[in-house]
Amino acid sequence: MTGPWPAVLAAVLALALSPPASANAPADPARAWLARSSPIVAADQAGRSVHVLRGDQSRWDADGEDRGVLWSWSADGQDELSDLDPDSTWTNPSEAKLRERGGRRYLLATASGGLAAVIGYPDRRVYWAADTGSGNTHSIELLPDGNVAVAASTGGYVRLYAASLGSRATEHTQLDLPGAHGVHWDPHTRLLWALGSRELVALRVDGPSDDPGLTVLHRITLPTRQGHDLAAVAGSPGRLWVTTASAVYQFATKQRRFVSYPLQSRVSAPDVKSIGDDPVTGQILVARPEPGHACAWCTSTLTLYQPDGRRTLLHGAMYKARWWAVGAR
């Protein structure tokens, strides 16, 4: 084993085996390392909210005093979104991402009920929002020109909305993609990647921003079926995380092939809803359904690797969770 991990693991073991340090003792190096962790953003279906959570805290409580919740957003009760009927369209929040454009940061969020939104962080101002319909919207992406892509699973499509035209712009182009679950803009290839049930596709964005088009450049058959999550590998630019109903893969965009990766034998598992590595520490974050949870596709506990750990949202029903860090794109 090379790199910082032996030192980190040695510090963790030393903490477990040694007596409590005095108040004047130097800070523990393992705790100092954990304090560098990026925050985590989670789509919580129980609370109909998106929470930004402390990455170095093992338990969070969205309703308690020592909450560990840094910031939250919900479409419920937002007068600015009342025309989009959040009571029905904000059902089952399904995606949450951090993106940056023009020096501003945004929360990107979708819900299975059809709402898709780009919300200013931390001011919560709505950049763009739309009711995408009953296609089970599962993922969203903000493009450099200000337009917004969404993927809908039962709808079987990827749409590119001309969001640069205004906060309620509904003009869009659509590409059919059965089982569409993930969409991701890759600044390295300058392509929009989309994940369906059986294939990963690379899309070129054509035309002006007020009338965009999509052209399929590459179609790659998935190693196993039912593609689900699609995200950048922060520690390896030019690679994408790809999950299916059976496994977790990494895909090299330049070579256009699936490749092996460190910890694959431990990280790869069925039904992973989201995965990503922290661009600050390299730690891997996984959201996977929790056996016995009241929501069959949700979890109250997230799993981390290298170093290993768990993070629990009390009374939560998280669907996807990601590192709240710009480098995670």
Side-chain angles (χ1 to χ4, degrees):
M1 185 180 293
T2 60
W5 303 117
V8 171
L9 294 176
V12 171
L13 289 173
L15 176 66
L17 297 174
S18 62
S22 68
N24 296 323
D28 178 77
R31 291 187 183 277
W33 184 90
L34 287 172
R36 296 169 51 219
S37 297
S38 297
I40 292 168
V41 62
D44 176 27
Q45 297 191 354
R48 292 173 59 94
S49 298
V50 172
H51 302 299
V52 177
L53 307 160
R54 286 187 52 159
D56 61 346
Q57 188 162 318
S58 61
R59 300 179 80 186
W60 309 299
D61 186 350
D63 302 313
E65 293 182 4
D66 185 19
R67 306 188 315 152
V69 179
L70 303 174
W71 186 89
S72 293
W73 183 84
S74 174
D76 292 335
Q78 301 289 332
D79 292 341
E80 194 175 2
L81 297 175
S82 60
D83 59 306
L84 300 178
D85 188 23
D87 285 349
S88 61
T89 61
W90 184 241
T91 301
N92 291 345
S94 55
E95 178 66 282
K97 296 178 179 178
L98 171 67
R99 292 293 183 261
E100 189 175 60
R101 177 178 176 269
R104 294 198 62 198
R105 292 187 171 191
Y106 298 94
L107 163 70
L108 277 57
T110 62
S112 295
L115 185 66
V118 178
I119 307 298
Y121 176 82
D123 60 20
R124 299 183 176 85
R125 294 181 60 183
V126 177
Y127 167 76
W128 174 84
D131 177 2
T132 64
S134 58
N136 198 4
T137 309
H138 249 70
S139 190
I140 182 171
E141 184 61 281
L142 177 63
L143 275 62
D145 63 2
N147 287 342
V148 175
V150 300
S153 59
T154 58
Y157 63 74
V158 173
R159 287 180 182 169
L160 180 56
Y161 284 88
S164 57
L165 292 175
S167 63
R168 287 296 187 277
T170 57
E171 297 89 339
H172 65 270
T173 186
Q174 179 170 313
L175 174 81
D176 291 340
L177 181 62
H181 267 76
V183 63
H184 174 79
W185 172 260
D186 178 22
H188 304 286
T189 59
R190 297 196 62 78
L191 296 175
L192 183 66
W193 293 82
L195 181 65
S197 289
R198 299 189 179 188
E199 60 182 353
L200 175 67
V201 297
L203 306 172
R204 184 182 67 215
V205 177
D206 300 316
S209 59
D210 60 353
D211 186 22
L214 293 172
T215 299
V216 177
L217 295 186
H218 311 294
R219 294 182 182 271
I220 301 95
T221 300
L222 298 178
T224 54
R225 294 187 177 184
Q226 297 181 34
H228 196 280
D229 195 39
L230 179 64
V233 180
S236 298
R239 289 192 182 190
L240 301 173
W241 290 107
V242 176
T243 78
T244 70
S246 305
V248 176
Y249 303 96
Q250 283 191 7
F251 179 80
T253 57
K254 185 176 181 179
Q255 294 81 10
R256 296 202 299 276
R257 63 185 179 88
F258 291 92
V259 294
S260 61
Y261 59 92
L263 296 184
Q264 183 169 355
S265 62
R266 297 188 59 215
V267 171
S268 184
D271 298 324
V272 169
K273 300 303 183 185
S274 65
I275 187 169
D277 52 313
D278 185 352
V280 177
T281 66
Q283 193 172 32
I284 296 172
L285 172 68
V286 172
R288 189 173 177 229
E290 178 182 347
H293 197 287
C295 169
W297 50 83
C298 302
T299 183
S300 62
T301 298
L302 307 173
T303 304
L304 297 105
Y305 297 92
Q306 198 167 315
D308 294 358
R310 295 166 74 83
R311 302 287 186 271
T312 298
L313 178 63
L314 300 178
H315 318 297
M318 295 178 285
Y319 184 62
K320 291 181 186 176
R322 305 194 185 281
W323 295 107
W324 188 249
V326 173
R329 76 164 302 153

